Amino acid sequence: MTKNDEIQSVKELLTKYLEEKKYRKTPERYAILEEIYKLNDHFDIDSLYNIFKEKNFSVSKATIYNTLELLLDAGLVRKHQFGKVQAFYEKGFFNKNHDHIIMIDDFQIIEFCDPRIEQIKKDFEEAMGVEILSHSLYLYARKKEKN
Amino acid sequence: MTKNDEIQSVKELLTKYLEEKKYRKTPERYAILEEIYKLNDHFDIDSLYNIFKEKNFSVSKATIYNTLELLLDAGLVRKHQFGKVQAFYEKGFFNKNHDHIIMIDDFQIIEFCDPRIEQIKKDFEEAMGVEILSHSLYLYARKKEKN
DNA sequence: CTCAATGCAAATCATTTGCACACCC
DNA sequence: GGGTGTGCAAATGATTTGCATTGAG
């Protein structure tokens, strides 16, 4: 799937979501979704705001906040809050690797996926009679020093 | 180990830490540590501040922020930031259960510990040649609806 | 006595909110 | 047209900072 195909697909998912919820299909919502899916990296509100600014496409921060909330609810982005006050986001539909290793030296983020997590979740659901809706796992790592 | 023994022990750990780092042994630092270890629950800065206020023991919020940073560095408390802007803390030396289930209905927090996590960490350390310093795992759950 | 630590208030910064206007339906 | 969504600026709330004062070493 090319990046353009991917963008096309998530736009369709957004349309479906907006129609289901009877929300309006505003150009801002599609533009923000598209910009997010063009990015390969994690991003914060400000950098997204600046991308639009550079393109002379006018979107207010309030709208970006609102829209990210909406996309979060639609399941099209993920939100991270690793230790910092400021939240980070990433596109979140096709890249199924849910977990993250944070390199504390340079804050590089590596994604991974380990089936044992899913097993742990299943075990807890059964043991405690609850439904686990989501999870977040971060490993904080640093490159091994050579002594 | 009784709660008093525990408080005694962590105070000694704090002393050791302060001496190593050549920091001063102020009454505030010990008082804050003690209050935290008297609590059984997770807490935020404000509730800790209010505890001192009620006791007419004067500690400023700036000092509480500073001291929590210090205790964090000393490994005597843990910090959480689950989605919210406001951070939560908990005592963190003797209670070895590191992972948390957040009940999204009432924000109740359940602790647990699963050895599979440690195994995942070990595997990654070996596979990627990094040292994993810590991790955080949250499961977001809700009580199962009875249909 | 000296300088690190505290207390207070002001500053900062991310996020939220209120309200007028715009534009999707 | 009607009401939701947007934009802007002001409000909020957690955390940080500056600076004068205190007290640990």
Side-chain angles (χ1 to χ4, degrees):
Chain A
M1 181 160 56
T2 69
K3 183 153 276 191
N4 274 338
D5 289 342
E6 184 178 297
I7 291 173
Q8 214 41 54
S9 305
V10 288
K11 282 190 177 174
E12 280 164 25
L13 288 170
L14 177 58
T15 298
K16 205 175 135 210
Y17 171 82
L18 294 174
E19 284 174 354
E20 266 174 16
K21 295 271 189 175
K22 302 214 195 312
Y23 294 153
R24 293 187 180 167
K25 294 171 199 145
T26 67
E28 287 84 358
R29 287 173 174 169
Y30 286 95
I32 289 169
L33 182 68
E34 173 161 355
E35 238 20 89
I36 290 171
Y37 271 79
K38 276 187 189 162
L39 291 171
N40 291 314
D41 247 333
H42 297 66
F43 62 92
D44 58 20
I45 300 281
D46 247 54
S47 58
L48 193 55
Y49 179 72
N50 288 329
I51 287 170
F52 284 112
K53 208 171 200 172
E54 278 166 31
K55 295 199 174 185
N56 274 47
F57 184 109
S58 155
V59 190
S60 76
K61 265 189 195 169
T63 299
I64 294 181
Y65 275 104
N66 285 337
T67 303
L68 278 175
E69 205 60 39
L70 180 144
L71 294 177
L72 216 49
D73 184 62
L76 296 171
V77 300
R78 296 205 204 97
K79 183 176 180 176
H80 301 285
Q81 196 115 27
F82 29 82
K84 302 298 175 76
V85 174
Q86 184 188 211
F88 275 76
Y89 298 83
E90 66 176 319
K91 60 185 175 185
F93 193 76
F94 292 112
N95 55 341
K96 288 292 187 192
N97 297 325
H98 277 236
D99 300 310
H100 296 78
I101 302 175
I102 316 285
M103 299 302 298
I104 62 164
D105 305 305
D106 53 4
F107 268 82
Q108 188 197 343
I109 298 167
I110 300 163
E111 298 186 12
F112 74 98
C113 184
D114 192 297
R116 283 172 284 191
I117 306 293
E118 293 308 317
Q119 192 55 49
I120 290 172
K121 285 162 72 175
K122 258 182 219 150
D123 291 350
F124 269 95
E125 284 187 324
E126 284 173 24
M128 307 189 46
V130 298
E131 180 188 3
I132 293 178
L133 305 168
S134 65
H135 78 272
S136 78
L137 171 61
Y138 298 97
L139 307 182
Y140 297 90
R142 104 176 128 207
K143 288 179 192 79
K144 232 174 203 161
E145 312 237 346
K146 290 160 191 163
N147 305 2
Chain B
M1 181 160 56
T2 69
K3 184 154 275 190
N4 275 336
D5 290 342
E6 184 177 297
I7 291 171
Q8 214 41 55
S9 306
V10 288
K11 281 189 178 175
E12 281 163 25
L13 288 170
L14 177 57
T15 299
K16 204 175 137 211
Y17 170 82
L18 294 174
E19 285 174 353
E20 265 174 16
K21 294 270 190 174
K22 302 214 194 313
Y23 293 154
R24 293 187 179 168
K25 295 171 197 146
T26 67
E28 286 84 358
R29 287 173 174 170
Y30 286 95
I32 289 170
L33 182 68
E34 173 159 357
E35 236 23 87
I36 290 172
Y37 271 79
K38 276 186 189 161
L39 291 171
N40 291 313
D41 247 334
H42 296 67
F43 61 91
D44 57 20
I45 300 281
D46 247 55
S47 58
L48 194 54
Y49 179 73
N50 288 330
I51 288 170
F52 284 111
K53 208 171 200 173
E54 277 165 31
K55 296 199 174 186
N56 273 48
F57 183 109
S58 155
V59 190
S60 74
K61 264 189 195 168
T63 299
I64 295 182
Y65 275 104
N66 286 336
T67 304
L68 279 175
E69 205 60 39
L70 180 145
L71 294 176
L72 216 49
D73 183 62
L76 295 170
V77 301
R78 296 205 204 97
K79 182 175 181 176
H80 301 286
Q81 197 116 27
F82 28 82
K84 303 298 176 77
V85 174
Q86 184 187 213
F88 275 76
Y89 298 84
E90 66 176 318
K91 61 185 176 185
F93 194 77
F94 292 113
N95 56 340
K96 288 293 187 191
N97 296 326
H98 277 236
D99 300 309
H100 297 80
I101 302 174
I102 316 286
M103 299 302 299
I104 63 163
D105 305 305
D106 52 5
F107 269 81
Q108 188 198 343
I109 298 168
I110 301 163
E111 298 186 13
F112 75 97
C113 184
D114 193 297
R116 282 170 286 190
I117 306 293
E118 294 307 317
Q119 192 55 51
I120 290 172
K121 285 163 71 174
K122 259 182 218 150
D123 292 349
F124 268 96
E125 285 187 324
E126 284 173 25
M128 305 190 48
V130 298
E131 182 188 2
I132 292 177
L133 304 168
S134 65
H135 78 272
S136 78
L137 171 61
Y138 299 95
L139 306 182
Y140 297 90
R142 104 178 127 205
K143 286 179 194 79
K144 231 172 204 161
E145 312 237 345
K146 290 160 191 162
N147 305 2

